[in-house]
Amino acid sequence: MTVDFMSKALKEAKKAEAINEVPVGAIIVKDHKIIAAAHNMTENLKDPTAHAEIIAIKKACNYLGNWRLNGCELYVTLEPCPMCAGAIIQSRISKVYIGTFDPRLGACGSIVNLLQNRNLNSNVYIEWLYNGQCSSILEKFFKSKR
């Protein structure tokens, strides 16, 4: 089941790539049903907070009519940054599945682990899926920029 949802997140990442955004996609699932899907929109919206995770969280909250996303799972192609990790904690998402690590801004274990931090009273379940497609789409995108 997790591979299915990650493939949907990867489709979102490809949408971002098609509009010259960093190719990151996110899906939020509740009771085995996708309730939100999003991709990065930072450049197009001229908004530094328009990351796939933030947009997906807003959509899921609207869908459920509640800011608390208890029992929801996030599937994201790239390890969330500190801003997105904070939003995950605040929204009460229960589980996060990550396609690939972010060695520069990773806030779920690569650089720092905000999601499982006693000082922040957070203990979000994290599972690393290490999806090669999630890594390669990012590598290809950044190589094209150099």
Side-chain angles (χ1 to χ4, degrees):
M1 188 66 79
T2 56
V3 175
D4 244 1
F5 291 130
M6 187 56 74
S7 70
K8 302 286 187 192
L10 195 54
K11 284 183 182 178
E12 287 294 319
K14 290 175 183 175
K15 290 179 187 177
E17 180 184 40
I19 58 171
N20 207 29
E21 292 279 354
V22 175
V24 177
I27 299 290
I28 296 181
V29 174
K30 173 98 176 172
D31 300 324
H32 307 291
K33 178 185 174 202
I34 295 172
I35 63 168
H39 53 274
N40 274 2
M41 290 292 293
T42 305
E43 296 296 331
N44 284 268
L45 296 178
K46 311 289 187 257
D47 179 355
T49 68
H51 289 195
E53 301 95 321
I54 301 291
I55 296 169
I57 287 169
K58 288 178 180 181
K59 286 181 175 182
C61 290
N62 285 335
Y63 179 85
L64 295 176
N66 193 336
W67 64 269
R68 291 175 190 88
L69 299 180
N70 298 79
C72 289
E73 301 173 352
L74 171 69
Y75 292 79
V76 62
T77 58
L78 178 66
E79 179 181 8
C81 70
M83 173 184 69
C84 293
I88 291 164
I89 293 165
Q90 292 297 323
S91 66
R92 315 292 200 268
I93 288 174
S94 302
K95 297 179 180 179
V96 176
Y97 297 90
I98 303 168
T100 193
F101 68 96
D102 184 346
R104 201 171 63 82
L105 290 171
C108 302
S110 291
I111 305 301
V112 67
N113 189 346
L114 297 179
L115 297 187
Q116 297 173 331
N117 187 311
R118 283 196 305 218
N119 294 323
L120 299 175
N121 196 30
S122 64
N123 190 25
V124 179
Y125 174 87
I126 299 170
E127 187 171 327
W128 292 87
L129 300 180
Y130 296 113
N131 183 305
Q133 290 178 301
C134 294
S135 299
S136 65
I137 193 173
L138 287 159
E139 288 171 11
K140 184 179 123 197
F141 177 81
F142 286 113
K143 276 184 184 173
S144 76
K145 299 295 176 194
R146 292 183 184 115

